[in-house]
Amino acid sequence: MTSAEPTVTSPQGTGPAGDGSIVRKLSTLDRYLAVWILLAMGIGLGLGRLIPGMNDALARIEIGGISLPIAFGLLVMMYPVLAKVRYDRLDRVTGDRRLLVSSLVINWIVGPAVMFALAWIFLPDLPEYRTGLIVVGLARCIAMVIIWNDLACGDREAAAVLVALNSVFQVLAFGLLGWFYLDLLPRLLHLGDGQGLDVSVWHIALNVVIFLGIPLLAGFLTRHLGEQKMSRADYEAKFLPRIGPWALYGLLFTIVILFALQGRTITSQPLDVARIALPLLVYFAIMFFGTFLLGKGLGLAYDRTTTLAFTAAGNNFELAIAVAIATFGVTSGQALSGVVGPLIEVPVLIGLVHVALAWRRKFTAGAVTTAP
């Protein structure tokens, strides 16, 4: 949560106090976050629909296929959260093999396979939308998952490690998995001729550097220099509360820009959006709840189970949209599937934040957070 959140010492480490206490102490921004997100989505859709040429003007503000307004919003969103990370504790996460292996298997074996299956089950007659959904399933989340995890009181250090780990695999595996799921596997299963995915490894690497590398480096340097200039206690008690709200400001700004870019497309094809939305809803439910149960079954405590679940359920919508547009065209059905991704993901995952918090009390006090 934000810096206003109280902390208490528990058998699971330093963490948030009871849910009721948190709600009473939250700021207005935090308490009604779901409302602000829905309003941001509505404002973005309205701006994109009502202002002629706005989406085209925003789309032109880009470098190397990266939207600068969206990049700005994501950087503002991620920086305060990454400045809160205790980088001296990362070794406790890297030693947890259950967590690391589970994350890699879920993200790079289970996730793409689930999306492939759902795309064919729900969209057998719509190959463009189906391909777009498969691309969304290949783009593992490296940005918004940071803030969903923080809102759900997950393990910040674990989130930083898992996001970095999956980002490396994203650079290495995205193109290969695209060929496998869009070309080779459909041929092997006699589902059709398949489609290629023309995506540059360097483009994916640039995406990772911008949306993870820059805020991660900024967060690390801020904490390192901040603790040198002031004590750790002062850094966490005085500095972090000042920058904390900017994470949510950045999130809301990003949502407005994202939906303004695609407002006309989304509102002009409501039935197509509904067809694409259904498999996405099933996907998020399977990935989140399945992973949450897996983490609990492995004996992980609430904070790491939550981190594992959100890193599994989230997707890198910016990369998916950029790849779909670059490969199939801005007006393609594949691009529309990429756009519908965050339309569904944002409200669903903010709802899952509340689900996760409600489940927190079900975890035993003796669960281990740091032992591998």
Side-chain angles (χ1 to χ4, degrees), residues 6-319:
T7 58
V8 295
T9 301
S10 70
Q12 296 183 357
T14 301
D19 293 344
S21 176
I22 292 175
V23 172
R24 287 192 296 270
K25 292 179 179 292
L26 286 179
S27 67
T28 301
L29 178 65
D30 290 329
R31 187 175 300 179
Y32 299 105
L33 179 59
V35 175
W36 308 140
I37 286 177
L38 291 175
L39 283 175
M41 292 172 64
I43 290 171
L45 289 172
L47 290 174
R49 181 74 184 182
L50 298 176
I51 301 180
M54 182 177 184
N55 55 342
D56 293 332
L58 289 173
R60 286 194 291 269
I61 310 175
E62 56 92 20
I63 296 178
I66 303 295
S67 168
L68 294 184
I70 291 178
F72 172 77
L74 290 175
L75 293 177
V76 172
M77 177 190 77
M78 294 177 68
Y79 165 68
V81 179
L82 291 171
K84 296 177 183 178
V85 171
R86 285 285 301 275
Y87 293 93
D88 57 326
R89 293 179 176 174
L90 294 185
D91 59 334
R92 301 182 184 182
V93 180
T94 55
D96 192 340
R97 293 184 179 180
R98 294 174 305 172
L99 182 70
L100 300 183
V101 173
S102 296
S103 180
L104 290 177
V105 170
I106 292 167
N107 275 283
W108 298 105
I109 297 178
V110 177
V114 168
M115 187 68 89
F116 176 84
L118 292 174
W120 276 97
I121 290 170
F122 285 93
L123 302 171
D125 57 327
L126 298 171
E128 289 191 1
Y129 297 158
R130 184 177 65 237
T131 297
L133 279 184
I134 294 171
V135 173
V136 170
L138 298 177
R140 313 313 298 170
C141 194
I142 65 172
M144 280 195 175
V145 69
I146 296 288
I147 199 165
W148 302 136
N149 176 75
D150 208 51
L151 289 168
C153 303
D155 187 321
R156 288 175 186 146
E157 288 70 39
V161 170
L162 294 186
V163 166
L165 180 65
N166 283 300
S167 296
V168 172
F169 271 78
Q170 187 157 263
V171 174
L172 299 175
F174 187 92
L176 178 62
L177 288 176
W179 166 76
F180 177 77
Y181 281 107
L182 295 177
D183 190 5
L184 179 61
L185 192 56
R187 292 176 185 271
L188 291 176
L189 298 177
H190 304 290
L191 296 173
D193 294 334
Q195 292 180 290
L197 188 62
D198 183 18
V199 55
S200 166
V201 172
W202 298 112
H203 177 75
I204 299 172
L206 177 63
N207 188 277
V208 170
V209 168
I210 291 177
F211 295 123
L212 176 63
I214 292 176
L216 186 62
L217 179 61
F220 172 78
L221 291 177
T222 299
R223 177 169 278 277
H224 179 70
L225 298 176
E227 289 186 359
Q228 283 188 341
K229 187 174 181 180
M230 60 183 77
S231 67
R232 174 171 293 170
D234 285 343
Y235 174 84
E236 295 185 346
K238 297 179 180 180
F239 178 73
L240 289 181
R242 295 177 183 176
I243 66 171
W246 284 95
L248 300 185
Y249 299 152
L251 172 65
L252 296 176
F253 174 83
T254 302
I255 291 170
V256 170
I257 295 298
L258 179 66
F259 288 101
L261 275 167
Q262 304 296 340
R264 184 170 295 276
T265 302
I266 292 173
T267 56
S268 63
Q269 303 180 58
L271 294 180
D272 289 351
V273 169
R275 286 287 305 272
I276 298 168
L278 185 57
L280 281 170
L281 287 170
V282 176
Y283 172 82
F284 292 132
I286 291 174
M287 295 302 293
F288 181 84
F289 292 110
T291 305
F292 210 98
L293 292 174
L294 173 65
K296 197 171 189 305
L298 290 173
L300 299 177
Y302 168 81
D303 53 358
R304 290 197 176 173
T305 297
T306 297
T307 299
L308 187 64
F310 277 106
T311 53
N315 292 92
N316 185 351
F317 60 82
E318 172 65 15
L319 176 61

